[in-house]
Amino acid sequence: EVDLATAWNVVNALCDAASLLETLCDIGAGPLEDTIKLYGIEVLGYLDSVANEKLLEAACCVWLSDAELELQLDSLLRSHGCQRH
């Protein structure tokens, strides 16, 4: 299992390298979603503290089965003026 810092660095690097909206959504629905599922609320804290345009766009494509995390993600996105797709 990858530690949170490494997983977060990979997600950041992928978002930084992405140039297409579709790619950011793939990152959100894949590695970012998996990282949130593994590490929960800590990842949302990282996302909130960085909150750049590409990471937020990727986060708009995350869907979680954990209702509490889902609500917290929605709240975080709204606080940054974003809505999920």
Side-chain angles (χ1 to χ4, degrees), residues 54-82:
K54 288 184 173 183
L55 275 168
L56 290 171
E57 189 60 45
C60 287
C61 298
V62 169
W63 293 97
L64 304 166
S65 56
D66 180 314
E68 181 60 31
L69 270 178
E70 188 88 2
L71 288 172
Q72 290 179 3
L73 177 59
D74 281 340
S75 176
L76 183 151
L77 290 170
R78 276 193 309 276
S79 75
H80 291 282
C82 302

Side-chain angles (χ1 to χ4, degrees), residues 33-52:
E33 186 173 294
D34 291 343
T35 302
I36 294 171
K37 287 177 181 176
L38 278 172
Y39 297 103
I41 193 72
E42 280 186 90
V43 180
L44 298 185
Y46 280 34
L47 179 61
D48 193 33
S49 68
V50 175
N52 67 47

